[in-house]
């Protein structure tokens, strides 16, 4: 039921493995290729472990006859690419470990025939972006590992970010996916990056979807005799390069706007207080002035009477 060939220094899969084997362990060997359908007669196989070998590519039909397979471990190999139909015909597969390889991309349709897949690891590869459509067929997926990849958090990863948010919302578990580029987002989990940071992607899509009449034709380039490659002509309009908004600049703008608004509000309060004080002082001055006017009138009347008496005398 279990065949353990791990750590034997094997360079190829043994040909005399019993047909009723359910668990085959081939880890920690020196296997670099899988030619000739080495598992074609192992239709009862449930678990296959090829971790810690030197595999750099896998034939497209290498797992085609393993209809009862529930787990494949390919951890820590040198796999650089996968064929689109590599995993077809594996309806029972529940766990797939592709971590610690050199995968830079995943072909569309790779997971289309895996309705039972619950656990998937793509950690420690060379993945920079992923397509949302590649993962949408995985309706049973519960746990996915994507850490330790050089993710570029740009427009190419925007749709996959939406898929991750949906996956987390329905209860799926996913490890931290840290951005490597651009520099403004380096070290941040892309799930924590606001969707507004990708607003420039819509402008790029509009430009890419514009008709031929909206695009300059022919290409505006010139050939330089000292350079082997063509250079843009200085007379040609340079297309604007859209970049993701800077978090630091956005925060700085908000802070500056808040400070300016605060200063304006303080000035308005001071002006209002000054106006109130001035109005109060003026009102008090007018009241005192009215009180003094009758007194000034009586004194002038007494002086006039004395002048009349003096003239009569």
């Amino acid at each position: 039921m279990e065949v353990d060939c791990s750590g034997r220094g094997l360079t190829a899969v043994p040909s005399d493995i019993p047909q009723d084997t359910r668990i085959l362990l081939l880890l920690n060997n020196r296997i670099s290729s899988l030619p000739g359908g080495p598992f074609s007669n192992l239709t009862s196989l449930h678990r296959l472990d090829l971790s810690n070998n030197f595999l750099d590519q896998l034939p497209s039909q290498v797992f085609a006859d393993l209809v009862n397979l529930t787990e494949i471990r390919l951890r820590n190999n040198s796999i650089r690419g996968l064929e689109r139909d590599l995993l077809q015909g594996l309806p029972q597969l529940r766990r797939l470990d592709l971590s610690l390889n050199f995968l830079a991309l995943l072909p569309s349709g790779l997971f289309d025939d895996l309705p039972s897949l619950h656990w998937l690891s793509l950690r420690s590869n060379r993945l920079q972006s992923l397509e949302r459509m590649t993962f949408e067929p995985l309706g049973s997926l519960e746990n996915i590992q994507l850490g330790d990849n050089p993710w570029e958090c740009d427009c190419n990863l925007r749709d996959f970010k939406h898929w991750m948010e949906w996956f987390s919302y329905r209860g799926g578990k996913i490890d931290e996916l840290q951005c490597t580029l651009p520099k403004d987002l380096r070290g941040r989990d892309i799930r924590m990056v606001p969707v507004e940071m990708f607003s420039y992607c819509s402008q790029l899509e509009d430009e890419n979807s514009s008709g031929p009449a909206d695009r300059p034709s022919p290409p505006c380039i010139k050939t330089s005799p000292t350079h082997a490659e063509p250079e843009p002509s200085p007379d040609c309009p340079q297309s604007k390069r859209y970049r993701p908004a800077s978090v630091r600049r956005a925060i700085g703008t908000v802070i500056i706007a808040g400070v300016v608004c605060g200063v304006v509000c303080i000035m308005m309060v001071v002006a209002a207080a000054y106006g109130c004080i001035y109005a109060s002082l003026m009102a008090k001055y007018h009241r005192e002035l009215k009180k003094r006017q009758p007194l000034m009138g009586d004194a002038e009347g007494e002086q006039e009477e004395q002048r009349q008496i003096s003239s009569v005398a």
Side-chain angles (χ1 to χ4, degrees), residues 242-262:
Y242 294 99
R243 297 182 178 180
S246 171
V247 176
R248 295 179 181 176
R249 291 180 182 178
I251 295 175
T253 303
V254 173
I255 293 175
I256 293 173
V259 171
V260 172
C261 292

Side-chain angles (χ1 to χ4, degrees), residues 175-243:
D175 60 346
E176 189 174 17
L177 192 154
Q178 292 186 352
C179 301
T180 301
L181 294 174
K183 292 183 179 180
D184 291 340
L185 301 178
R186 181 173 296 172
R188 294 189 60 181
D189 190 337
I190 190 174
R191 292 172 296 177
M192 301 296 105
V193 177
V195 69
E196 289 77 13
M197 297 292 293
F198 297 92
S199 59
Y200 74 104
C201 298
S202 300
Q203 299 176 358
L204 292 179
E205 292 174 354
D206 293 341
E207 290 185 355
N208 293 333
S209 61
S210 60
D214 300 331
R215 300 177 184 175
S217 178
C220 198
I221 58 175
K222 70 174 183 178
T223 303
S224 174
T226 59
H227 295 83
E229 298 181 356
E231 296 181 351
S233 173
D235 299 330
C236 300
Q238 299 295 324
S239 60
K240 184 179 179 180
R241 182 180 178 183
Y242 294 99
R243 297 182 178 180

Side-chain angles (χ1 to χ4, degrees), residues 95 113 118 125 134 142 155 167 212 219-220 225 239 250 258 265 281 303:
R95 294 177 64 90
D113 200 19
H118 281 62
N125 278 278
T134 304
E142 297 177 354
C155 294
F167 179 71
C220 198
S239 60
C265 291
L281 292 175
Q303 291 177 1

Side-chain angles (χ1 to χ4, degrees), residues 17-313:
I17 299 174
Q19 294 185 2
D20 58 349
T21 301
R22 295 173 63 89
I23 299 176
L24 179 56
L25 306 178
L26 293 167
L27 63 159
N28 301 326
N29 283 290
R30 300 178 181 177
I31 302 173
S32 59
S33 62
L34 300 172
F39 311 116
S40 59
N41 62 332
L42 304 179
T43 56
S44 299
L45 196 62
H46 281 64
R47 177 184 172 191
L48 176 61
D49 195 339
L50 287 162
S51 300
N52 303 327
N53 279 281
F54 300 113
L55 295 170
D56 57 355
Q57 62 181 6
L58 301 171
S60 59
Q61 301 293 326
V62 68
F63 305 127
D65 299 317
L66 307 181
V67 294
N68 294 311
L69 200 61
T70 61
E71 181 177 356
I72 301 177
R73 293 190 179 185
L74 295 164
R75 175 185 174 88
N76 194 21
N77 278 276
S78 302
I79 303 173
R80 299 179 180 275
L82 300 173
E83 298 290 338
R84 183 183 184 278
D85 55 351
L86 175 67
L87 302 173
Q88 290 185 359
L90 301 176
Q92 305 298 324
L93 190 64
R94 296 175 57 88
R95 294 177 64 90
L96 177 61
D97 191 350
L98 291 166
S99 59
L100 288 168
N101 281 283
F102 298 106
L103 296 173
L105 56 88
L106 298 179
S108 179
L110 178 65
F111 303 133
D112 284 0
D113 200 19
L114 299 177
S116 302
L117 192 67
H118 281 62
W119 187 90
L120 173 63
S121 179
L122 295 166
R123 289 182 60 87
S124 303
N125 278 278
R126 296 180 178 178
L127 297 170
Q128 296 179 343
S129 63
L130 291 172
E131 294 290 337
R132 175 176 182 169
M133 297 298 295
T134 304
F135 294 84
E136 286 189 341
L138 299 177
S140 300
L141 191 64
E142 297 177 354
N143 193 315
I144 183 171
Q145 298 180 357
L146 298 169
D148 298 327
N149 280 284
W151 300 110
E152 293 187 6
C153 299
D154 56 10
C155 294
N156 294 326
L157 203 60
R158 180 189 59 173
D159 290 342
F160 186 71
K161 166 183 166 62
H162 296 330
W163 180 86
M164 287 191 299
E165 294 172 350
W166 169 83
F167 179 71
S168 301
Y169 176 77
R170 70 177 181 86
K173 296 181 180 179
I174 184 171
D175 60 346
E176 189 174 17
L177 192 154
Q178 292 186 352
C179 301
T180 301
L181 294 174
K183 292 183 179 180
D184 291 340
L185 301 178
R186 181 173 296 172
R188 294 189 60 181
D189 190 337
I190 190 174
R191 292 172 296 177
M192 301 296 105
V193 177
V195 69
E196 289 77 13
M197 297 292 293
F198 297 92
S199 59
Y200 74 104
C201 298
S202 300
Q203 299 176 358
L204 292 179
E205 292 174 354
D206 293 341
E207 290 185 355
N208 293 333
S209 61
S210 60
D214 300 331
R215 300 177 184 175
S217 178
C220 198
I221 58 175
K222 70 174 183 178
T223 303
S224 174
T226 59
H227 295 83
E229 298 181 356
E231 296 181 351
S233 173
D235 299 330
C236 300
Q238 299 295 324
S239 60
K240 184 179 179 180
R241 182 180 178 183
Y242 294 99
R243 297 182 178 180
S246 171
V247 176
R248 295 179 181 176
R249 291 180 182 178
I251 295 175
T253 303
V254 173
I255 293 175
I256 293 173
V259 171
V260 172
C261 292
V263 171
V264 172
C265 291
I266 292 173
M267 293 177 63
M268 293 177 65
V269 171
V270 171
Y274 175 79
C276 293
I277 294 172
Y278 178 79
S280 177
L281 292 175
M282 289 301 295
K284 183 177 181 181
Y285 171 76
H286 285 293
R287 287 197 300 268
E288 292 180 355
L289 186 62
K290 289 181 179 179
K291 291 179 180 179
R292 290 178 182 179
Q293 284 179 352
L295 297 177
M296 294 175 63
D298 294 344
E300 291 178 355
E302 291 178 356
Q303 291 177 1
E304 183 65 24
E305 289 180 357
Q306 290 179 358
R307 284 198 296 270
Q308 293 179 357
I309 292 172
S310 300
S311 61
V312 172

